[in-house]
């Protein structure tokens, strides 16, 4: 019975040590305002509206035109 009680106590201590930390003790990297500037810049680029301009290159014989937009013809 003594060994069972010691085992239960050891299990309680193990579980208490494994549980996730609370929000108040979060590390600086998990705080909302501390993200790296490069990540924010990348998110801003991805959220920006697409470029809507192109460069006129030439006219084809069938009446269509060739344009260059964002590096693609």
């Amino acid at each position: 019975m003594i060994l069972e009680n010691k085992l239960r106590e050891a299990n309680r201590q193990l579980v208490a040590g494994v549980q996730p930390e609370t929000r108040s003790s979060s590390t600086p990297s998990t705080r909302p305002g501390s993200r790296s500037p490069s990540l924010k810049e990348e998110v801003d680029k991805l959220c920006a509206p697409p470029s809507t301009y192109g460069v006129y290159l030439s006219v084809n014989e069938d009446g269509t035109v060739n344009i260059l937009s964002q590096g693609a013809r």
Side-chain angles (χ1 to χ4, degrees), residues 56 58-66 73:
Y56 172 81
S58 62
V59 177
N60 296 323
E61 290 179 5
D62 62 355
T64 59
V65 295
N66 294 318
R73 191 170 178 184

Side-chain angles (χ1 to χ4, degrees), residues 54-55 57 66-73:
V55 177
L57 297 176
N66 294 318
I67 55 173
L68 182 65
S69 178
Q70 297 179 349
R73 191 170 178 184

Side-chain angles (χ1 to χ4, degrees), residues 4-16:
E4 289 177 350
N5 288 339
K6 286 185 178 182
L7 179 61
R8 281 190 205 108
E9 183 61 30
N11 282 334
R12 279 190 215 119
Q13 290 174 352
L14 178 64
V15 169

